[in-house]
Amino acid sequence: MAANSTVIYRKDYTPPSHNIDSVNLVFDLIPTKTRVTSTLKITPRPGRRSDALELNGENLRIDSIRINGEPALSDQYDMFPGRLVFRSIAKPTEIEIVTTINPQENLQLSGLYMSKGNFITQCEAEGFRRITYFPDRPDVLSKYSVELHAPKDCKVLLSNGNLIEEGELPDGRRYAKWEDPFLKPSYLFALVAGDFVANEESITLADKRQALLQVWVEPGNDNKTAHAMESLKKAIKWDEKKYGLELDLDRFMIVATDDFNMGAMENKGLNIFNSRCVLADENVATDTDFTQIQATIGHEYFHNWTGDRVTCRDWFQLSLKEGLTVFREQEFSGDQLATESAKVVQRLKNVRALKAFQFPEDAGPMAHPVRPESYTEINNFYTMTVYEKGAEVVRMYQTLFGEEGFKKGLQEYIRRHDGSAATCDDFLNAMADANNADLSQFALWYSQAGTPRVSIKTEWNEQRNELTVRARQVLRTFPGQPKPKPMLIPLAIGILDDKGKDVPLQLVDETEPQGTTRVLRLTQEEQSWTFTNIIRQPTLSVGRGFSAPVIFDIDYSRDQLIFLAKNDSDLFNRAIAFEKLSLIAVDTLMNEMRTQKNDSNLSPMTSYLTTFQEILEDDSLSPAYRAEVLKLPSETAVAEQSIIVEPELIRSALALMQKKIGQRLTSTLEKWMKLCETIGPYKCTPELAGKRALRHLMLEYLVASGNVKAVQQARTLFDKGNNLTDKLSGLRTIALSGTPIGRELIQTAVRAWSNEPLLFNKVLQIYALARPSKGDIPTVEKMRQMMFNQAFDIKNPNNVFSLLRTFFQNGGPEFHTLDGTGYQLWIDTVLEIDKFNPQVAARLGRALENWRRYEPNLASMMYKALSYVSAQNNLSNDLREIVDKALYEPV
């Protein structure tokens, strides 16, 4: 680690020495020299270890310090790198600190910075210390009053809470005063000043109060805010109805900006969003975008209670707010869908993302528990483990206690901790007490890293009509750590008879059946359950609805998987069975390619294609469900199943499988393309979006088969589609097929859309994934060319993530080149970006962290690339932690 890196441990937590009862902030907003006057009213806490008060600060120039109205003396405080320490604050004290900062040069986009001439803040996790000196930790909760002074071209001046006063200063500048009536930590502070326009609407809350909702955007984007406003209203109503949680402010504001490191930020009452998570119409947003915008707006609003009103005590508890709120977001999104089939589509997408990205994280050098025990740079722990696995941990409470039990637990948690900073243990204890349950074993989900594996075996005693289910949990032991303890794992199971019907589930010691889906509690290393009245040949359906974030090892035959894919009443497990069939088919093709042997007797394609066609023709399933189920596994998903990752082989096997499906099912695919055609003006409804998704999938298979007519249909979608979903699908299908016209269409899209950031970023993603055709220059060279495009800005995170992160994560053999040029591009861009935005550099840096799993030649080059970056001086702590863990952390 770097010399200035400090490892912070959860076990070392100590409460703050002082309360900051109130904070008054006055900002004189000037792009190159903003003056910040901070007045803190401080009260020492009983039982404190010391009278010294430590404040955090970074890149600040101190202009003056006053204590109780008098200039501070040099013997009253000490300055250290990143810290201002007052030697003794033993009684209630007022401290005024005046600092100067330079927002225009703040390219980290953390603290106060400029975006297109507008002032924006981002304070989570430790950005507030880049604004003024403060105890910048989440367990210091204060009431904030804010006064903003700005040039008159800053037409809008916003901060948290309620607007108290606004007007014009004697010198012609504008001012506004805001007060937040609720206690909050510094990471939830927000400020926005500049040229914005609002879509605003007043609504009546459940308690009959009126609230003003505002979506603030740059001029010219106000016609793209209707969906965001509707999403916000839906989220407010949903939280009122679902959990009895109401909006607690007179107004709630959303601001959209292009320059933002994250997707969005839940600052109390003033949510700041990356513009891609707000702006939408049929010309700049796809069906997926509309759905994701609704989810993201819901997520940030739900933080109002699970994150703002109750915040986390320290950053080790990050999943307390993020995992919980991701779960609430997922429940909200599901409740907006009309059919069970549509809800399962959302669940499938969430779980597939978890398996593709979080499971490898659990198996790699960045593996950590949902509640980490230590960190060097907190920004590196905004991970899939904390968010998505954390959400699955929260979901398990609902699986164990049901929706009503979960609601009781959540309400008890808020009742106990409203207005305070809590821990994961606090949430667990509220759930346990509300449901009169012992959750001491369940607490291991917060402290043990890694993905549990659960092996399942069944034994049917035909004479006794009994089926015994045996489960064994296998937990990863980390080097230097004690052997993990058995966890409480909820296993939702069903049993199908040989006709595909669910069997009523009755344990041998029960007097009657208890439904057709049961949640078993696996609490021991090995455990078994015996069910009676199993008269016909049974097939077990295990982990229904993905009841726990584990890997199930169950030795299904191909015929059993086909049976489940056709018959399982649990639509999630039905999809997973077909996914396993797909992976078996891909693996078989990969083995044939390795041995250069094509044994048709071993090929699973015939039975696979029959099952594929039966699912496609099943009208009881929604088009959206069929589109999701019938997609081939991603290259990432195949790599996750592989012992040794071979990018070129994976790409070739998937391409061949696509081609076989397209060639052998041509007439069926063409039929469903026609049946799923949507006529008339664009509408983003679940039904129409599902039809578009299925139609586009059919087209992908046909184009992959070399069907000339299909290639022309894809081009027509791009040229003449009346919505972005169709246009991008046509472009992406051709670009990923390696068809020569792909180069021409991408260049057309770049020229046409480079002036619209939302569209340009989408083109960048397709550009990064495009397959080369004969005569193309190497993809790595094309990537470097795009970085010189005048529309591309390496200082803009959206541009960087769209082009570079997409390429590094999903570029396959075009990134993992045998000559190492892909890794050289990674080195060059990561080091360049680290100079001004360490958070973005660290996220790119993670592309090579699982290098050990790749075939030896690639692994060797990846190791050398990581070593080269690690050897550089002056790396940020963010990037240093990533590359050094990748190199040296045992896995």
Side-chain angles (χ1 to χ4, degrees), residues 160-349:
N160 309 85
N162 297 317
L163 178 63
I164 305 301
E165 183 182 342
E166 64 180 337
E168 189 173 298
L169 295 166
D171 60 4
R173 290 183 302 157
R174 295 180 54 76
Y175 79 93
K177 295 181 180 180
W178 293 80
E179 285 186 3
D180 189 342
F182 297 98
L183 293 169
K184 67 171 179 278
S186 57
Y187 81 86
L188 291 174
F189 169 78
L191 173 163
V192 172
D195 187 9
F196 294 93
V197 293
N199 174 2
E200 59 183 31
E201 189 172 333
S202 292
I203 64 168
T204 302
L205 302 173
D207 63 1
K208 307 306 179 185
R209 288 183 298 114
Q210 293 291 304
L212 177 64
L213 309 182
Q214 295 176 314
V215 180
W216 293 95
V217 296
E218 294 167 358
N221 284 328
D222 45 313
N223 61 335
K224 304 183 186 77
T225 59
H227 180 66
M229 178 63 79
E230 287 304 308
S231 299
L232 177 58
K233 290 191 294 184
K234 287 179 182 178
I236 292 171
K237 295 300 182 185
W238 182 85
D239 222 15
E240 287 177 339
K241 183 178 180 181
K242 185 87 170 183
Y243 297 116
L245 301 175
E246 295 186 354
L247 175 60
D248 52 5
L249 291 168
D250 297 335
R251 72 169 68 198
F252 191 91
M253 299 170 285
I254 287 173
V255 177
T257 178
D258 286 340
D259 297 299
F260 206 66
N261 283 338
M262 301 182 177
M265 177 60 208
E266 72 267 17
N267 320 292
K268 180 69 178 176
L270 177 57
N271 290 181
I272 300 177
F273 277 69
N274 194 310
S275 56
R276 63 181 168 81
C277 297
V278 172
L279 304 179
D281 64 25
E282 67 272 21
N283 298 313
V284 299
T286 64
D287 292 334
T288 300
D289 294 329
F290 276 98
T291 301
Q292 189 57 50
I293 286 169
Q294 177 178 268
T296 306
I297 285 178
H299 180 104
E300 303 308 329
Y301 173 75
F302 301 142
H303 266 312
N304 188 55
W305 284 94
T306 53
D308 294 2
R309 285 285 288 260
V310 184
T311 192
C312 49
R313 185 194 71 178
D314 53 69
W315 292 121
F316 298 103
Q317 320 295 331
L318 182 59
S319 194
L320 175 69
K321 73 181 185 78
E322 296 301 349
L324 174 56
T325 304
V326 169
F327 168 76
R328 276 159 45 73
E329 163 208 322
Q330 291 174 353
E331 290 290 280
F332 163 67
S333 297
D335 285 347
Q336 306 312 302
L337 301 170
T339 67
E340 188 61 31
S341 178
K343 292 180 181 182
V344 172
V345 172
Q346 177 200 288
R347 184 72 178 132
L348 278 168
K349 289 179 178 178

Side-chain angles (χ1 to χ4, degrees), residues 566-815:
K566 293 179 180 179
N567 297 291
D568 201 330
S569 64
D570 184 81
L571 291 179
F572 179 88
N573 270 18
R574 190 172 173 182
I576 294 303
F578 188 75
E579 180 179 80
K580 289 180 178 177
L581 280 172
S582 300
L583 288 167
I584 290 172
V586 173
D587 188 58
T588 302
L589 291 175
M590 288 170 63
N591 286 332
E592 289 177 358
M593 290 175 176
R594 284 192 192 96
T595 60
Q596 296 183 337
K597 178 181 179 182
N598 189 349
D599 187 343
S600 59
N601 293 324
L602 295 176
S603 175
M605 285 304 296
T606 301
S607 58
Y608 177 82
L609 289 168
T610 301
T611 309
F612 184 107
Q613 188 162 5
E614 287 190 29
I615 293 172
L616 179 57
E617 301 279 13
D618 187 346
D619 285 332
S620 70
L621 303 172
S622 70
Y625 180 84
R626 282 176 274 181
E628 185 63 26
V629 171
L630 296 176
K631 286 193 301 190
L632 286 184
S634 67
E635 291 180 6
T636 305
V638 177
E640 177 60 14
Q641 300 292 317
S642 304
I643 298 174
I644 300 294
V645 179
E646 301 168 272
E648 182 66 54
L649 187 62
I650 291 172
R651 168 74 57 81
S652 298
L654 285 168
L656 179 57
M657 194 162 170
Q658 258 193 326
K659 183 177 180 180
K660 286 176 179 288
I661 293 170
Q663 288 176 336
R664 299 192 192 181
L665 298 178
T666 300
S667 60
T668 305
L669 300 176
E670 289 177 338
K671 179 184 80 170
W672 279 99
M673 267 199 69
K674 186 172 180 61
L675 287 173
C676 289
E677 189 173 0
T678 56
I679 308 296
Y682 173 81
K683 293 180 181 179
C684 185
T685 66
E687 180 184 5
L688 292 176
K691 283 189 172 184
R692 281 188 286 268
L694 186 55
R695 184 168 186 253
H696 296 159
L697 181 64
M698 302 297 97
L699 183 60
E700 286 177 25
Y701 285 124
L702 289 169
V703 170
S705 73
N707 187 307
V708 176
K709 177 184 173 184
V711 173
Q712 185 55 48
Q713 287 175 309
R715 178 163 193 162
T716 301
L717 269 184
F718 173 69
D719 289 336
K720 298 181 179 180
N722 71 346
N723 62 83
L724 188 65
T725 306
D726 281 346
K727 284 180 171 291
L728 279 184
S729 177
L731 177 63
R732 187 178 187 277
T733 297
I734 290 178
L736 267 63
S737 71
T739 304
I741 65 167
R743 186 188 324 130
E744 171 197 338
L745 293 191
I746 290 176
Q747 290 171 349
T748 299
V750 170
R751 287 193 299 268
W753 291 343
S754 59
N755 291 326
E756 168 51 72
L758 294 172
L759 295 177
F760 183 61
N761 286 320
K762 295 180 191 304
V763 175
L764 290 178
Q765 290 178 321
I766 295 175
Y767 187 95
L769 297 174
R771 310 285 164 80
S773 57
K774 187 175 181 180
D776 272 358
I777 63 173
T779 301
V780 171
E781 189 175 333
K782 288 197 293 185
M783 295 290 290
R784 291 188 183 275
Q785 288 180 357
M786 178 55 75
M787 291 171 65
F788 284 102
N789 186 295
Q790 62 181 3
F792 181 87
D793 182 0
I794 200 168
K795 295 182 174 63
N796 179 271
N798 286 349
N799 286 178
V800 170
F801 292 148
S802 296
L803 183 70
L804 295 172
R805 186 166 65 174
T806 298
F807 184 60
F808 296 155
Q809 287 187 344
N810 303 302
E814 279 74 59
F815 171 56

Side-chain angles (χ1 to χ4, degrees), residues 46-47 69 85 163 350 423 517 556 617 736 821 827:
V85 180
L163 178 63
N350 293 337
T423 67
T517 297
Y556 286 124
E617 301 279 13
L736 267 63
T821 54
I827 291 171

Side-chain angles (χ1 to χ4, degrees), residues 382-445:
Y382 283 74
T383 61
M384 290 284 287
T385 299
V386 166
Y387 279 68
E388 277 72 17
K389 184 176 180 179
E392 294 300 323
V393 171
V394 173
R395 184 176 296 278
M396 284 191 286
Y397 288 113
Q398 183 163 284
T399 300
L400 291 168
F401 302 131
E403 288 194 14
E404 282 304 310
F406 179 84
K407 180 178 178 179
K408 285 196 304 181
L410 177 62
Q411 291 177 333
E412 178 63 14
Y413 163 71
I414 290 173
R415 185 191 68 78
R416 292 180 181 183
H417 302 289
D418 188 11
S420 68
T423 67
C424 295
D425 290 333
D426 292 329
F427 185 77
L428 180 141
N429 291 334
M431 280 287 165
D433 293 346
N435 291 281
N436 193 28
D438 180 359
L439 290 177
S440 55
Q441 185 181 19
F442 188 85
L444 293 171
W445 281 102

Side-chain angles (χ1 to χ4, degrees), residues 421-474:
T423 67
C424 295
D425 290 333
D426 292 329
F427 185 77
L428 180 141
N429 291 334
M431 280 287 165
D433 293 346
N435 291 281
N436 193 28
D438 180 359
L439 290 177
S440 55
Q441 185 181 19
F442 188 85
L444 293 171
W445 281 102
Y446 292 103
S447 60
Q448 294 188 169
T451 305
R453 301 189 76 100
V454 178
S455 62
I456 303 287
K457 295 186 180 300
T458 59
E459 180 182 333
W460 182 40
N461 187 320
E462 189 173 1
Q463 287 70 40
R464 298 173 61 90
N465 295 333
E466 291 179 351
L467 178 72
T468 299
V469 178
R470 305 184 191 280
R472 181 172 183 269
Q473 55 176 300
V474 179

